[in-house]
PDB file of all heavy atoms in Angstrom:
ATOM      1  N   VAL A 339      -0.085  32.496  29.409  1.00 97.00           N
ATOM      2  CA  VAL A 339       0.768  31.870  28.400  1.00 97.00           C
ATOM      3  C   VAL A 339      -0.051  31.497  27.173  1.00 97.00           C
ATOM      4  O   VAL A 339      -1.286  31.477  27.200  1.00 97.00           O
ATOM      5  CB  VAL A 339       1.474  30.608  28.948  1.00 97.00           C
ATOM      6  CG1 VAL A 339       2.438  30.975  30.075  1.00 97.00           C
ATOM      7  CG2 VAL A 339       0.463  29.563  29.410  1.00 97.00           C
ATOM      8  N   THR A 359       2.821  37.983  34.850  1.00 97.00           N
ATOM      9  CA  THR A 359       2.126  38.905  33.964  1.00 97.00           C
ATOM     10  C   THR A 359       2.985  40.117  33.646  1.00 97.00           C
ATOM     11  O   THR A 359       3.875  40.489  34.395  1.00 97.00           O
ATOM     12  CB  THR A 359       0.801  39.375  34.582  1.00 97.00           C
ATOM     13  OG1 THR A 359       1.071  40.030  35.825  1.00 97.00           O
ATOM     14  CG2 THR A 359      -0.129  38.194  34.832  1.00 97.00           C
ATOM     15  N   VAL A 387      -3.047  37.623  19.472  1.00 98.00           N
ATOM     16  CA  VAL A 387      -3.551  37.350  20.820  1.00 98.00           C
ATOM     17  C   VAL A 387      -4.239  38.597  21.368  1.00 98.00           C
ATOM     18  O   VAL A 387      -3.655  39.691  21.361  1.00 98.00           O
ATOM     19  CB  VAL A 387      -2.408  36.936  21.764  1.00 98.00           C
ATOM     20  CG1 VAL A 387      -2.944  36.684  23.176  1.00 98.00           C
ATOM     21  CG2 VAL A 387      -1.685  35.708  21.230  1.00 98.00           C
ATOM     22  N   ASN A 392      -3.666  43.877  29.399  1.00 98.00           N
ATOM     23  CA  ASN A 392      -2.825  44.980  28.939  1.00 98.00           C
ATOM     24  C   ASN A 392      -3.567  45.954  28.026  1.00 98.00           C
ATOM     25  O   ASN A 392      -3.006  46.981  27.630  1.00 98.00           O
ATOM     26  CB  ASN A 392      -1.609  44.438  28.175  1.00 98.00           C
ATOM     27  CG  ASN A 392      -0.543  43.875  29.085  1.00 98.00           C
ATOM     28  OD1 ASN A 392      -0.204  44.479  30.105  1.00 98.00           O
ATOM     29  ND2 ASN A 392      -0.003  42.713  28.737  1.00 98.00           N
ATOM     30  N   PRO A 411      -0.109  49.445  26.440  1.00 98.00           N
ATOM     31  CA  PRO A 411      -0.220  48.647  27.667  1.00 98.00           C
ATOM     32  C   PRO A 411      -0.681  49.479  28.859  1.00 98.00           C
ATOM     33  O   PRO A 411      -0.149  50.555  29.140  1.00 98.00           O
ATOM     34  CB  PRO A 411       1.206  48.117  27.872  1.00 98.00           C
ATOM     35  CG  PRO A 411       1.797  48.092  26.511  1.00 98.00           C
ATOM     36  CD  PRO A 411       1.226  49.284  25.802  1.00 98.00           C
ATOM     37  N   LEU A 428     -10.540  46.382  27.262  1.00 97.00           N
ATOM     38  CA  LEU A 428     -10.686  44.950  27.495  1.00 97.00           C
ATOM     39  C   LEU A 428     -11.042  44.188  26.210  1.00 97.00           C
ATOM     40  O   LEU A 428     -12.088  43.527  26.128  1.00 97.00           O
ATOM     41  CB  LEU A 428     -11.714  44.671  28.588  1.00 97.00           C
ATOM     42  CG  LEU A 428     -11.406  45.276  29.967  1.00 97.00           C
ATOM     43  CD1 LEU A 428     -12.491  44.912  30.963  1.00 97.00           C
ATOM     44  CD2 LEU A 428     -10.050  44.811  30.466  1.00 97.00           C
ATOM     45  N   GLY A 618     -15.278  17.805  18.416  1.00 89.00           N
ATOM     46  CA  GLY A 618     -16.567  17.398  17.879  1.00 89.00           C
ATOM     47  C   GLY A 618     -16.462  17.073  16.412  1.00 89.00           C
ATOM     48  O   GLY A 618     -16.042  17.913  15.608  1.00 89.00           O
ATOM     49  N   ILE A 619     -16.796  15.845  16.040  1.00 82.00           N
ATOM     50  CA  ILE A 619     -16.755  15.415  14.646  1.00 82.00           C
ATOM     51  C   ILE A 619     -18.190  15.378  14.127  1.00 82.00           C
ATOM     52  O   ILE A 619     -19.054  14.728  14.728  1.00 82.00           O
ATOM     53  CB  ILE A 619     -16.121  14.027  14.506  1.00 82.00           C
ATOM     54  CG1 ILE A 619     -14.704  14.021  15.096  1.00 82.00           C
ATOM     55  CG2 ILE A 619     -16.087  13.584  13.055  1.00 82.00           C
ATOM     56  CD1 ILE A 619     -14.063  12.656  15.125  1.00 82.00           C
ATOM     57  N   SER A 643      11.897  -7.149  12.998  1.00 93.00           N
ATOM     58  CA  SER A 643      10.676  -7.402  12.243  1.00 93.00           C
ATOM     59  C   SER A 643       9.461  -6.898  13.015  1.00 93.00           C
ATOM     60  O   SER A 643       8.936  -7.593  13.886  1.00 93.00           O
ATOM     61  CB  SER A 643      10.520  -8.904  11.962  1.00 93.00           C
ATOM     62  OG  SER A 643       9.339  -9.152  11.220  1.00 93.00           O
ATOM     63  N   ASP A 683       3.912   3.408  16.177  1.00 93.00           N
ATOM     64  CA  ASP A 683       4.163   4.584  15.351  1.00 93.00           C
ATOM     65  C   ASP A 683       3.189   4.584  14.181  1.00 93.00           C
ATOM     66  O   ASP A 683       2.883   3.538  13.609  1.00 93.00           O
ATOM     67  CB  ASP A 683       5.596   4.579  14.801  1.00 93.00           C
ATOM     68  CG  ASP A 683       6.634   4.590  15.912  1.00 93.00           C
ATOM     69  OD1 ASP A 683       6.589   5.501  16.745  1.00 93.00           O
ATOM     70  OD2 ASP A 683       7.476   3.670  15.938  1.00 93.00           O
ATOM     71  N   GLN A 687       1.462   8.255   3.987  1.00 89.00           N
ATOM     72  CA  GLN A 687       1.846   7.568   2.761  1.00 89.00           C
ATOM     73  C   GLN A 687       3.182   8.040   2.197  1.00 89.00           C
ATOM     74  O   GLN A 687       3.775   7.374   1.347  1.00 89.00           O
ATOM     75  CB  GLN A 687       0.762   7.733   1.707  1.00 89.00           C
ATOM     76  CG  GLN A 687       0.459   9.161   1.328  1.00 89.00           C
ATOM     77  CD  GLN A 687      -0.816   9.263   0.507  1.00 89.00           C
ATOM     78  OE1 GLN A 687      -1.625   8.327   0.455  1.00 89.00           O
ATOM     79  NE2 GLN A 687      -1.021  10.396  -0.146  1.00 89.00           N
ATOM     80  N   ALA A 708     -11.339   3.777  24.064  1.00 82.00           N
ATOM     81  CA  ALA A 708     -11.613   2.343  24.027  1.00 82.00           C
ATOM     82  C   ALA A 708     -13.021   2.043  24.519  1.00 82.00           C
ATOM     83  O   ALA A 708     -13.738   1.208  23.944  1.00 82.00           O
ATOM     84  CB  ALA A 708     -10.581   1.589  24.864  1.00 82.00           C
ATOM     85  N   PRO A 731      -7.670  12.642   5.217  1.00 86.00           N
ATOM     86  CA  PRO A 731      -7.787  11.543   4.256  1.00 86.00           C
ATOM     87  C   PRO A 731      -6.427  11.166   3.675  1.00 86.00           C
ATOM     88  O   PRO A 731      -5.601  12.020   3.354  1.00 86.00           O
ATOM     89  CB  PRO A 731      -8.718  12.125   3.184  1.00 86.00           C
ATOM     90  CG  PRO A 731      -9.563  13.108   3.929  1.00 86.00           C
ATOM     91  CD  PRO A 731      -8.640  13.728   4.932  1.00 86.00           C
TER      92      PRO A 731
END
Side-chain angles (χ1 to χ4, degrees):
V339 296
T359 60
V387 179
N392 283 316
L428 300 181
I619 303 174
S643 180
D683 300 304
Q687 60 192 15

